[in-house]
Amino acid sequence: MKKDLYNYILGIADNSLILAQRLGELCGHGPSLETDIAITNISLDLLGQTRSYYQYAAKLAGEDKTEDDIAFLRIERDYKNVLLVEQPNTHFGHVMARQFLFDVYHLMLMEQLQNSKDETLVAIAKKGIKEVSYHKRFSSDWVKRLGDGTEESKEKMQEAINAMWRFTDELFDVMEADKAMIEEGIAVDVSKMKETYYEKVSEILEEATLEVPERKYFTRGGKKGVHTEHMGYLLADLQYMQRTYPNMTW
Amino acid sequence: MSEQEVKNLEEIFEARIARDEKIEPKDWMPEKYRKTHIRQISQHAHSEIIGMLPEGNWITRAPSLRRKAALLAKVQDEAGHGLYLYSACETLGISREEMYEQLHSGKAKYSSIFNYPTVTWADMGAIGWLVDGAAIINQVPLCNTSFGPYARAMVRVCKEESFHQRQGYEIMLTLCNGTDEQKEMAQDALNRWWWPSLMMLGPTDAESVHTEQSMKWKLKRKSNDELRQQFIDQTVPQADILGLTIPDPDMKFNEETGHYDFGEIDWDEFWQVVKGHGPCNKERMKARVDAWENGEWVRDAAMAHAEKKANKKVAKAS
């Protein structure tokens, strides 16, 4: 099996799965019917992308592995999503801050992934790019609305951005498995995206009349499988059925 | 307007309905027609929105990625139904905020079925199969109802509902073809959802207060008891295919009538739930009120932002 490629795919896909799971928690509880529908849409897009990645990874793994084995039957340390996407839905400001800070990165990643030498990844990226650019527009618009809305919303949005900010730097860490893939022209060298990312994010935050936090203290670990304490509970929900009723067809 | 003039308008109005013409929002209509439609359409919209909660309860725990995506999409469809039903209702001169207010204060009702808890994954199957099944029986005749916006909304709703029903049945079928544990889960879900699903079709004709007028306005084409019989006749053979047992010892095919006879429905339970004392009434209402109240600052911000933007435009133009 192409171990490096497998790991590289999971590194990307796990972000989509975990964020989709978080957004799925909100279904039926949004601040308005329209935002509820939009957030569910984003969750569905991410879930669709996850499935394409995992199906590809399952094929690489062979041994009758399925997308569900990969999604549901790993231990926490084997999930390689960034810490940002597992953060809880504290309030709508947090949901939008998390989404916005991820979407800007995600869109850049998809744009670059289109140039990969791996055809399947190119196909997934090409399909995903349309979805992700909508996500980015949606979350940026909300960051602007909430930042430049009422005094209360500005305060809440700033607090949310501050809370999520420390998880952004990890997005640009390159893992050991990625290095070989970058050399082969398959993976995106995300470390090179960092400066542009912070420029883009800052531009929107300024437009939202929000302060751009200092780039000083960051928390990382998700890419190595060392997660925040929120992750275990998220996985308990996600894996509940597969763990309680193993080896069944649903 | 004199009494005679109103009477004339009413006669013209009733004649139009008798000719199967659609009534549109700007047409003259009797006040009672307007009120009845606001009541029914908003109740229907509320049911869609409250109905998102019991199924939403399983999104994070769906057993496979395919099921998770399908469930998310289904619950999202319900939000969509709510959205266009609220819009249809707004054409009658009531705002969405007012309708929410009526829901949150308990003045407006919603389908009592959603006050039952979803305790296993099989409930996702049972709800699709039975609850959506009963809903379709209720709703298909509404595609031809007299009020245009409602009728048109229902055409779309019914298409999606019948897809949901097939999806629910397919969940049940998968369980019934599975392990003993899965079959047991399916039977347990049927046991719990069967009677509430029968109640969904409304009180017996003798107790139903709105039937006569609603028939005249084509808001209803068949009585509650007729619809219930139709639902039972359609569903019992489906249970047979699944190899599940309907939890009614009196259920028996009657050769003479060509219909299934069935046991007594516990109407005390029905009225208890309708009056707000079902297993989950309080939780459902709390979830909706919380969502609305916690979302207030977001909606306010959106309004304030839109206003700022509009002012900037005006300032630029002048």
Side-chain angles (χ1 to χ4, degrees):
Chain A
M1 180 179 85
K2 299 175 179 169
K3 191 82 193 150
D4 285 341
L5 179 55
Y6 179 83
N7 285 333
Y8 179 66
I9 295 167
L10 261 52
I12 302 177
D14 287 355
N15 286 335
S16 294
L17 172 71
I18 301 303
L19 188 53
Q21 175 77 359
R22 272 290 181 236
L23 295 172
E25 292 170 13
L26 294 165
C27 188
H29 305 278
S32 72
L33 215 39
E34 287 80 355
T35 47
D36 210 307
I37 290 171
I39 286 175
T40 307
N41 237 347
I42 296 175
S43 179
L44 272 168
D45 286 344
L46 292 170
L47 205 53
Q49 293 165 15
T50 306
R51 295 186 65 191
S52 304
Y53 289 124
Y54 284 170
Q55 281 163 13
Y56 182 32
K59 217 160 73 185
L60 291 173
E63 295 167 17
D64 295 329
K65 220 182 183 55
T66 67
E67 53 170 5
D68 289 332
D69 294 336
I70 301 176
F72 297 101
L73 296 175
R74 280 181 285 161
I75 58 165
E76 181 173 327
R77 291 284 270 107
D78 288 343
Y79 285 85
K80 297 296 160 65
N81 58 283
V82 291
L83 301 179
L84 176 67
V85 295
E86 72 200 43
Q87 296 312 304
N89 301 319
T90 309
H91 62 59
F92 189 74
H94 282 244
V95 175
M96 283 304 116
R98 183 185 62 204
Q99 194 65 39
F100 164 66
L101 293 172
F102 181 71
D103 289 344
V104 174
Y105 158 83
H106 199 192
L107 183 58
M108 291 172 74
L109 177 70
M110 290 291 108
E111 281 166 351
Q112 299 278 325
L113 201 57
Q114 288 186 109
N115 305 321
S116 169
K117 283 193 178 147
D118 186 291
E119 275 175 30
T120 312
L121 289 180
V122 171
I124 298 174
K126 281 201 188 314
K127 182 168 178 286
I129 210 162
K130 288 180 211 136
E131 298 166 346
V132 177
S133 51
Y134 162 75
H135 304 169
K136 188 190 151 222
R137 200 165 61 229
F138 179 79
S139 61
S140 308
D141 283 351
W142 272 107
V143 168
K144 288 181 218 162
R145 269 185 212 118
L146 298 175
D148 192 18
T150 63
E151 243 173 76
E152 185 191 5
S153 72
K154 187 192 192 72
E155 202 179 294
K156 282 199 152 94
M157 197 62 231
Q158 186 71 58
E159 170 248 310
I161 288 287
N162 294 350
M164 296 296 157
W165 191 256
R166 68 191 172 105
F167 301 114
T168 50
D169 201 58
E170 187 190 9
L171 290 163
F172 308 99
D173 289 352
V174 173
M175 297 289 100
E176 214 36 61
D178 303 349
K179 281 184 191 158
M181 288 292 100
I182 291 170
E183 265 169 40
E184 283 186 41
I186 289 175
V188 175
D189 186 353
V190 285
S191 66
K192 289 192 179 144
M193 289 166 27
K194 194 181 219 158
E195 289 314 311
T196 318
Y197 170 83
Y198 281 111
E199 274 166 32
K200 286 184 183 205
V201 163
S202 303
E203 200 178 298
I204 289 168
L205 289 179
E206 276 158 24
E207 204 185 318
T209 70
L210 293 166
E211 275 173 35
V212 180
E214 262 188 301
R215 280 166 64 183
K216 206 166 170 190
Y217 300 110
F218 289 109
T219 310
R220 50 192 3 104
K223 284 191 176 182
K224 286 184 180 152
V226 182
H227 293 276
T228 54
E229 290 178 350
H230 304 295
M231 185 69 171
Y233 296 94
L234 183 147
L235 290 181
D237 268 2
L238 179 76
Q239 300 186 339
Y240 167 64
M241 290 295 291
Q242 289 275 345
R243 295 289 189 201
T244 314
Y245 305 96
N247 303 318
M248 297 185 198
T249 306
W250 301 98
Chain B
M1 217 182 289
S2 75
E3 226 172 90
Q4 187 56 45
E5 279 169 319
V6 173
K7 222 178 151 212
N8 289 345
L9 282 170
E10 268 175 16
E11 272 168 27
I12 296 169
F13 178 84
E14 299 292 349
R16 287 185 63 194
I17 289 186
R19 285 197 301 272
D20 266 335
E21 278 178 36
K22 289 277 174 276
I23 306 300
E24 294 303 331
K26 285 193 173 134
D27 296 347
W28 184 89
M29 61 184 79
E31 207 38 39
K32 200 174 164 207
Y33 181 90
R34 183 187 302 277
K35 284 205 173 121
T36 303
H37 277 77
I38 288 178
R39 184 177 56 78
Q40 176 158 338
I41 301 170
S42 69
Q43 191 171 315
H44 191 162
H46 297 327
S47 300
E48 298 283 357
I49 300 311
I50 298 277
M52 294 170 73
L53 299 170
E55 288 176 289
N57 186 35
W58 278 87
I59 288 172
T60 61
R61 293 176 293 167
S64 69
L65 293 178
R66 181 172 81 92
R67 292 294 186 202
K68 192 190 284 289
L71 185 59
L72 262 169
K74 184 191 172 188
V75 180
Q76 188 191 36
D77 280 349
E78 283 156 11
H81 296 171
L83 198 58
Y84 36 87
L85 286 166
Y86 281 128
S87 305
C89 204
E90 280 178 311
T91 66
L92 289 163
I94 182 168
S95 69
R96 212 200 292 181
E97 282 68 26
E98 282 173 89
M99 289 185 260
Y100 279 156
E101 169 56 34
Q102 290 178 354
L103 174 68
H104 298 161
S105 71
K107 191 185 163 212
K109 298 275 181 256
Y110 57 88
S111 183
S112 61
I113 192 89
F114 301 120
N115 293 312
Y116 289 86
T118 50
V119 294
T120 72
W121 168 253
D123 291 9
M124 298 305 100
I127 289 182
W129 173 35
L130 302 172
V131 176
D132 293 331
I136 292 167
I137 289 201
N138 250 335
Q139 292 169 5
V140 164
L142 291 173
C143 297
N144 295 313
T145 191
S146 61
F147 185 53
Y150 193 29
R152 289 188 288 272
M154 290 319 296
V155 171
R156 186 161 163 193
V157 170
C158 283
K159 270 187 203 151
E160 292 179 352
E161 291 292 359
S162 88
F163 177 70
H164 295 164
Q165 196 207 5
R166 281 202 298 275
Q167 198 170 279
Y169 191 73
E170 199 257 321
I171 290 178
M172 294 303 270
L173 199 57
T174 307
L175 293 173
C176 292
N177 287 331
T179 64
D180 289 347
E181 259 174 312
Q182 286 174 303
K183 266 178 236 166
E184 207 175 294
M185 196 189 279
Q187 180 65 56
D188 170 61
L190 171 59
N191 293 350
R192 284 180 290 107
W193 290 95
W194 175 253
W195 292 103
S197 300
L198 295 191
M199 294 175 199
M200 241 184 106
L201 294 147
T204 51
D205 296 347
E207 301 262 339
S208 181
V209 282
H210 303 295
T211 296
E212 199 189 333
Q213 181 66 79
S214 295
M215 290 266 195
K216 211 163 124 197
W217 288 335
K218 298 176 179 169
L219 205 43
K220 213 164 196 179
R221 301 248 163 167
K222 285 180 184 170
S223 77
N224 293 350
D225 287 333
E226 283 174 293
L227 292 171
R228 193 166 9 252
Q229 189 66 57
Q230 187 186 334
F231 173 70
I232 290 169
D233 291 345
Q234 160 190 311
T235 309
V236 175
Q238 294 170 351
D240 289 342
I241 294 171
L242 294 173
L244 296 177
T245 312
I246 302 275
D248 177 357
D250 297 325
M251 177 71 62
K252 213 180 136 212
F253 189 71
N254 184 326
E255 297 284 350
E256 232 167 85
T257 60
H259 295 293
Y260 283 89
D261 293 336
F262 55 98
E264 192 75 32
I265 292 171
D266 181 357
W267 291 111
D268 290 342
E269 178 183 320
F270 174 75
W271 290 113
Q272 182 177 330
V273 180
V274 169
K275 285 175 182 153
H277 309 290
C280 294
N281 295 59
K282 306 237 165 7
E283 288 82 353
R284 301 292 182 240
M285 204 46 83
K286 184 178 183 305
R288 280 319 308 162
V289 171
D290 283 354
W292 185 246
E293 287 177 354
N294 294 337
E296 194 180 357
W297 69 274
V298 176
R299 298 189 302 273
D300 288 349
M303 290 291 282
H305 182 79
E307 228 166 85
K308 279 184 195 177
K309 255 186 143 173
N311 288 343
K312 266 185 208 158
K313 246 188 203 163
V314 173
K316 246 189 196 169
S318 61

